[in-house]
Amino acid sequence: MASSGEDISNDDDDMHPIAAGMADGVHLLGFSDEILLHILSHVPSTDLILNVRRTCRKLAALCLDKSLIHTVLLQKDYQASEDKVRQLVKEIGREIQQLSMAGCYWLPGSTVEHVARCRSLVKVNLSGCHLTSLRLSKMLSALQHLRSLAIDVSPGFDASQLSSECKATLSRVRELKQTLFTPSYGVVPCCTSLEKLLLYFEILDRTREGAILSGQLMVGQSNVPHYQNLRVFYARLAPGYINQEVVRLYLAVLSDRTPQNLHAFLISVPGSFAESGATKNLLDSMARNVSLDALQLPKSWLNGSSLLQHIKFNNPFYFSFSRCTLSGGHLIQQVINGGKDLRSLASLNLSGCVHCLSPDSLLRKAEDDIDSSILETLVASCCNLRHLNLSAAHHHSSEGLGRHLCQLLARLCHLRSLSLPVCSVADSAPRADRAPAQPAMHAVPRGFGKKVRVGVQSCPSPFSGQAGPQPSSVFWSLLKNLPFLEHLELIGSNFSSAMPRNEPAIRNSLPPCSRAQSVGDSEVAAIGQLAFLRHLTLAQLPSVLTGSGLVSIGLQCQQLRSLSLANLGMMGKVVYMPALSDMLKHCKRLRDLRLEQPYFSANAQFFQALSQCPSLQRLCLVSRSGTLQPDAVLAFMARCLHVVMCHLFTGESLATCKNLQQSLLRSFQAERPALNVVIFPLLHEGLTDVIRDVPLVHLDEITLFKSRVAEEPPNLWW
């Protein structure tokens, strides 16, 4: 109940908008407590406690219900200022049992330190927060009930500064997520009861001063991680040799004695990661002593080996063979075991496995047709898949009734996220004797079930003569059979972003697959069937002519939260700008927009259209030889009050970029504490140094392009 010093009105006419009532005379407070609690669960914690709670006595009581205050999530609450967080902790800190401040990069360490007042904490996520060793020690010393911890280990971290009380708390921690920005064991040696260990290696090869880093910096640190109770080991490495050098030090202890209860072993490494004697011992020990339900290994550890034949699996729920030269024959024989029931498998990542749907990788060219019987076996055995990634490969289907990749995938009715190469959704190989199919529109419900005749456009559009989705196309049929899909990626097999990680921008790109030439506006419009779609990525679709399909998506996919578009249509000219502008009018829930397109003109028309997205929070534009209008950017930021990330990488001069960045920060930083602005020439040699200062939450989620479907096991971290 509220304290006596709070201003609580007894008059229902003087309420916060959430309590002000509803249309037709139905008063919001007339709903049951159960319904009100569900509504209140969608209100940010800071607003709930500091505002809504003070509107009336009933809401004051409900806002302090255990279901609302035992778990407090501050990540992406970009309005959570220092004062708000401190006041929140002061008022309900003793009741909080789970707290996530992940990605709250704008909060200083002195504010994060107030977490120590939440003495009932069992789980806390401080990834992305600024903490020194001394502050971490002081905070953890007070959290005696803590069992789950996520932190960053930054340059300057010193484990010798951790107090005995802090180490006592760490000794009871069972789950640890540690993001490393410097070579270090972090707090791992202090966590003697670990059951789950997640390691994210984000160490750069060189310091800002240019000095080369080495894993030898860890010599002399405590190097006895306690893995005896470990059940989950996960490591994700950013590019760079130093990350590989450091992860080997973590793996060395595992190779000596493999935990008997280990059931998930996952290492995600970009590029090559050579096998060593220690890792071979580790894999041999795993094959003898453990049974896994989740597996991901570096491609060099799997390529050409018989390892999969010897590892035992028990009701597996996640496999990732990303970038491996795994043939379809090996996939069926060694993983699916000739059609073994794998109904437990929920997530499968075959991204970059160019031969995984062909019987033999030695005799096949990348552009050859797939063996549909392999995919058919996969679909039948893994019938409960919810997440599937087949991107970064040429999966071409041959002629044959019911044997197309899309027709087979349509049987996976539980899919919630799907990533496919663009060429895989083409109906068939183009033939000279085939007449072009006539475009037709499918029937789309309007209002309460009213339908539009086939052949008539289902939504108003300024574009005459545009092609609509074809009911006869395999892609249209696939999406019709997956109505609950929430995450869809269509990425060209040869696509690579102009802005890779820790490297200069890419100046040239590979041409798209010839089969992708038959995928255009009508296929894009078919995506409009997905009423529950929340995340959409479209990359390297050369046959997008007007972008008319984007309008269908904007009109019909009202749940869309994030949109990533890259290299649509002809590379030398942006042909879909009018359609994109029309689409954005309808994207009322869009929060993240990433746009990568050469020669893009970020002008007043574009930013005016973007201003009609009232929920927009993050914008990233990557455009080689692109231009922008500074006045239009400033006007857009003034209109869109929730935008906290603005990353613009174009062909503008360094002086223009710096002036605009300074103007934005000067104008909006004070009222938007989380504001992160990076405006920089895409091809400038200093881009890598600029990127290193971007908060990891933005860099990983939007600024850098990548396929995100089945990237990690589901529910890896709370």
Side-chain angles (χ1 to χ4, degrees):
M1 187 60 67
S3 63
S4 59
E6 292 168 352
D7 180 18
I8 297 180
S9 172
N10 290 317
D11 187 353
D12 287 346
D13 293 331
D14 188 25
M15 293 181 181
H16 186 279
I18 197 170
M22 296 176 63
D24 302 323
V26 179
H27 203 287
L28 180 63
L29 294 182
F31 287 121
S32 67
D33 287 357
E34 184 180 5
I35 293 176
L36 287 174
L37 286 172
H38 179 73
I39 294 172
L40 292 171
S41 69
H42 295 277
V43 179
S45 296
T46 50
D47 197 22
L48 188 75
I49 300 301
L50 305 182
N51 296 321
V52 179
R53 180 181 164 215
R54 291 176 166 80
T55 56
C56 69
R57 293 191 181 278
K58 182 168 185 177
L59 288 179
L62 287 176
C63 287
L64 292 179
D65 188 86
K66 291 180 180 180
S67 65
L68 298 179
I69 62 174
H70 275 188
T71 298
V72 172
L73 307 178
L74 296 180
Q75 77 267 26
K76 297 187 180 177
D77 182 359
Y78 298 118
Q79 302 305 315
S81 64
E82 295 179 47
D83 291 340
K84 287 182 179 180
V85 172
R86 293 186 183 199
Q87 188 64 25
L88 177 74
V89 170
K90 180 180 179 181
E91 296 198 19
I92 64 167
R94 291 187 176 275
E95 305 298 326
I96 301 174
Q97 295 182 1
Q98 301 185 59
L99 172 64
S100 178
M101 298 175 68
C104 292
Y105 54 87
W106 62 92
L107 296 176
S110 57
T111 298
V112 178
E113 192 178 31
H114 280 63
V115 171
R117 297 186 178 185
C118 306
R119 295 182 180 272
S120 299
L121 272 180
V122 177
K123 294 185 174 183
V124 63
N125 189 341
L126 301 174
S127 296
C129 295
H130 302 289
L131 278 176
T132 63
S133 308
L134 289 174
R135 280 207 164 105
L136 178 66
S137 178
K138 180 181 177 182
M139 184 180 65
L140 294 184
S141 296
L143 305 179
Q144 298 182 8
H145 302 287
L146 196 66
R147 296 297 180 268
S148 178
L149 172 67
I151 58 168
D152 289 354
V153 177
S154 301
F157 178 86
D158 185 358
S160 66
Q161 294 180 336
L162 302 180
S163 68
S164 58
E165 293 83 2
C166 171
K167 291 179 180 179
T169 296
L170 289 170
S171 70
R172 295 185 288 269
V173 167
R174 297 195 186 105
E175 300 177 352
L176 176 66
K177 177 183 177 184
Q178 191 168 257
T179 304
L180 296 157
F181 294 94
T182 188
S184 174
Y185 290 107
V187 299
V188 171
C190 301
C191 301
T192 56
S193 304
L194 275 183
E195 296 178 8
K196 177 187 283 190
L197 177 59
L198 277 56
L199 299 168
Y200 291 77
F201 295 86
E202 297 288 338
I203 312 166
L204 294 172
D205 291 344
R206 293 176 179 269
T207 64
R208 293 183 184 279
E209 295 74 27
I212 299 176
L213 287 177
S214 169
Q216 294 301 314
L217 293 176
M218 296 170 65
V219 173
Q221 297 182 22
S222 175
N223 60 351
V224 189
H226 297 271
Y227 293 149
Q228 61 269 22
N229 299 317
L230 206 62
R231 295 173 55 82
V232 177
F233 181 89
Y234 176 87
R236 193 189 78 176
L237 282 66
Y241 78 90
I242 184 64
N243 291 309
Q244 296 187 13
E245 187 178 351
V246 174
V247 78
R248 288 188 191 279
L249 296 174
Y250 278 86
L251 291 172
V253 177
L254 271 178
S255 65
D256 291 337
R257 183 179 178 184
T258 306
Q260 293 183 349
N261 294 324
L262 190 69
H263 70 89
F265 187 77
L266 308 118
I267 301 180
S268 174
V269 183
S272 178
F273 184 40
E275 207 174 10
S276 65
T279 56
K280 287 181 180 179
N281 292 338
L282 169 61
L283 297 175
D284 289 343
S285 177
M286 285 172 51
R288 291 192 308 269
N289 302 316
V290 301
S291 183
L292 300 176
D293 57 26
L295 177 68
Q296 180 177 7
L297 295 175
K299 64 179 183 180
S300 55
W301 295 14
L302 283 176
N303 291 348
S305 77
S306 58
L307 177 65
L308 290 177
Q309 287 180 312
H310 304 294
I311 291 183
K312 295 182 286 291
F313 298 109
N314 180 32
N315 295 322
F317 68 90
Y318 178 79
F319 285 143
S320 177
F321 303 111
S322 180
R323 306 289 173 181
C324 295
T325 57
L326 186 71
S327 71
H330 288 148
L331 180 66
I332 299 300
Q333 296 165 15
Q334 300 180 12
V335 180
I336 302 178
N337 196 17
K340 180 184 177 182
D341 181 6
L342 283 178
R343 275 182 280 192
S344 61
L345 196 66
S347 186
L348 178 61
N349 190 340
L350 296 172
S351 172
C353 295
V354 297
H355 305 298
C356 68
L357 299 181
S358 300
D360 195 332
S361 61
L362 297 178
L363 304 176
R364 180 184 184 267
K365 296 180 180 178
E367 295 80 9
D368 289 347
D369 290 342
I370 64 172
D371 184 338
S372 57
S373 65
I374 293 174
L375 182 58
E376 198 163 14
T377 302
L378 177 67
V379 168
S381 302
C382 310
C383 57
N384 290 325
L385 272 178
R386 296 176 65 86
H387 314 283
L388 176 62
N389 194 328
L390 293 171
S391 65
H394 297 271
H395 294 317
H396 300 166
S397 298
S398 57
E399 297 285 345
L401 190 62
R403 310 286 284 176
H404 192 282
L405 177 141
C406 288
Q407 293 170 315
L408 295 174
L409 293 183
R411 302 176 188 176
L412 296 173
C413 58
H414 299 287
L415 277 180
R416 294 299 179 266
S417 64
L418 177 63
S419 183
L420 294 174
V422 174
C423 55
S424 72
V425 306
D427 270 13
S428 61
R431 280 172 31 186
D433 60 341
R434 183 187 298 274
Q438 294 298 316
M441 290 296 297
H442 64 294
V444 177
R446 275 189 175 178
F448 293 96
K450 184 178 179 181
K451 294 189 176 181
V452 183
R453 296 194 317 271
V454 171
V456 180
Q457 287 188 335
S458 65
C459 57
S461 173
F463 309 99
S464 59
Q466 68 180 11
Q470 304 174 34
S472 59
S473 77
V474 290
F475 185 57
W476 186 90
S477 299
L478 169 65
L479 300 186
K480 180 182 179 182
N481 283 279
L482 303 176
F484 299 109
L485 204 65
E486 298 177 1
H487 190 162
L488 177 64
E489 296 177 346
L490 273 185
I491 303 175
S493 305
N494 295 330
F495 176 74
S496 57
S497 173
M499 195 168 65
R501 184 73 182 273
N502 298 344
E503 298 173 16
I506 295 176
R507 297 172 181 267
N508 299 306
S509 57
L510 294 173
C513 172
S514 59
R515 191 78 69 98
Q517 300 289 346
S518 58
V519 179
D521 291 317
S522 61
E523 284 73 23
V524 173
I527 298 171
Q529 297 177 90
L530 302 175
F532 297 96
L533 190 68
R534 298 170 68 90
H535 310 280
L536 175 62
T537 295
L538 301 174
Q540 202 180 41
L541 279 76
S543 292
V544 168
L545 300 179
T546 65
S548 55
L550 295 174
V551 184
S552 297
I553 295 172
L555 277 167
Q556 296 167 251
C557 302
Q558 288 295 300
Q559 301 300 318
L560 195 63
R561 299 294 197 274
S562 67
L563 176 64
S564 177
L565 305 176
N567 293 10
L568 303 188
M570 299 173 60
M571 294 298 290
K573 186 178 181 181
V574 183
V575 295
Y576 60 91
M577 187 62 218
L580 178 62
S581 298
D582 201 12
M583 174 196 190
L584 292 174
K585 296 177 187 175
H586 310 289
C587 296
K588 302 305 181 185
R589 292 182 173 87
L590 188 68
R591 296 176 183 174
D592 297 339
L593 174 63
R594 186 186 192 278
L595 192 56
E596 179 167 343
Q597 189 80 34
Y599 304 100
F600 189 87
S601 176
N603 54 22
Q605 177 194 3
F606 168 69
F607 283 109
Q608 179 64 39
L610 199 55
S611 299
Q612 299 182 66
C613 301
S615 301
L616 193 70
Q617 295 178 333
R618 300 191 290 185
L619 169 66
C620 179
L621 173 63
V622 179
S623 182
R624 178 168 46 85
S625 303
T627 60
L628 56 83
Q629 292 182 5
D631 291 344
V633 179
L634 285 163
F636 156 73
M637 290 292 288
R639 287 191 297 265
C640 293
L641 304 180
H642 298 294
V643 174
V644 294
M645 191 205 93
C646 182
H647 291 180
L648 306 177
F649 304 98
T650 65
E652 295 287 355
S653 68
L654 181 61
T656 298
C657 292
K658 281 190 173 182
N659 289 337
L660 178 56
Q661 178 171 319
Q662 291 170 0
S663 296
L664 290 173
L665 291 172
R666 188 167 53 247
S667 301
F668 305 107
Q669 183 84 70
E671 60 193 40
R672 305 181 200 184
L675 185 64
N676 182 254
V677 178
V678 181
I679 302 177
F680 205 76
L682 178 63
L683 299 182
H684 193 280
E685 60 184 7
L687 179 64
T688 302
D689 291 331
V690 170
I691 288 296
R692 70 187 296 166
D693 292 325
V694 174
L696 188 59
V697 62
H698 297 323
L699 192 67
D700 194 51
E701 293 182 1
I702 181 169
T703 307
L704 297 176
F705 183 96
K706 63 178 175 178
S707 175
R708 292 177 169 82
V709 172
E711 180 186 17
E712 294 181 340
N715 305 317
L716 183 63
W717 195 253
W718 62 283

